[in-house]
Amino acid sequence: MKDDDGGLQLSRQIQEERTSLGGFEANLKRLRIVSGEGGSMVCEMDVLPTDRNSHGTLHGGMICTLADAVSSWAFHVVERTQVSVSTGLHVMFMKPAKVGTTIIIEARTVKRGRKMVFLEVTITDKEKGFIVAKVNHSKLILDVGTKLIKSNM
């Protein structure tokens, strides 16, 4: 993937914004962004003991979180002012990643329509090269300024 300094800088800015809000995405501060531009992003992450399931491998919930976040960030590198929400996340778990390994999370925008965007994510074991999971992610693109939660205030 071709990368430019502006895209990589913007990718890191998006990561910082999203993880600094507290909440669940704060767990993703340790992701290392390798590249990001043109609706694609590549990150690396070391699988820690806190990421494991009862079998001692990377938890499926963490795989879903990684796919959701990294593909969303990839979309927002191009569509900086848009608001989007997930409408679907289809995950195929293919081979477990063990604690102590490094995984690569590659996300790319497949198609962007007027109201929907479709993204793909592949998570691989960096050292051994096998695919850990493949993910298809769909998102609804909302109008700029759309409030997601109505407030009584």
Side-chain angles (χ1 to χ4, degrees):
M1 165 196 313
K2 181 184 166 239
D3 190 37
D4 62 47
D5 289 339
L8 187 57
Q9 182 179 1
L10 183 55
S11 298
R12 290 181 176 146
Q13 179 185 345
I14 290 168
Q15 178 191 28
E16 177 58 32
E17 287 172 5
R18 299 302 302 220
T19 60
S20 68
L21 296 173
F24 199 70
E25 276 186 304
N27 294 316
L28 305 178
K29 284 185 181 189
R30 65 189 172 141
L31 279 177
R32 297 180 299 277
I33 298 177
V34 176
S35 64
E37 62 98 29
S40 296
M41 185 176 287
V42 178
C43 299
E44 291 184 355
M45 186 187 86
D46 299 324
V47 179
L48 302 178
T50 54
D51 302 324
R52 72 174 195 253
N53 57 25
S54 61
H55 304 289
T57 59
L58 181 61
H59 194 286
M62 180 57 114
I63 289 172
C64 292
T65 298
L66 290 167
D68 180 17
V70 175
S71 61
S72 295
W73 297 351
F75 171 65
H76 288 289
V77 167
V78 174
E79 302 288 345
R80 192 66 182 108
T81 61
Q82 292 293 158
V83 176
S84 65
V85 294
S86 296
T87 59
L89 194 72
H90 175 77
V91 184
M92 294 182 293
F93 302 102
M94 303 180 92
K95 191 168 182 176
K98 295 179 182 176
V99 170
T101 60
T102 299
I103 56 171
I104 299 170
I105 306 100
E106 296 180 80
R108 73 179 190 92
T109 303
V110 176
K111 181 180 183 347
R112 194 247 197 246
R114 196 172 59 77
K115 286 290 190 182
M116 294 290 295
V117 63
F118 302 93
L119 307 117
E120 287 181 343
V121 180
T122 303
I123 300 175
T124 57
D125 180 291
K126 183 177 181 179
E127 182 183 320
K128 296 182 180 172
F130 62 79
I131 297 174
V132 174
K134 297 277 286 180
V135 183
N136 292 314
H137 187 194
S138 58
K139 296 181 71 85
L140 175 65
I141 302 167
L142 302 173
D143 294 329
V144 175
T146 299
K147 300 261 188 237
L148 298 179
I149 299 175
K150 290 185 179 182
S151 174
N152 293 330
M153 301 170 125

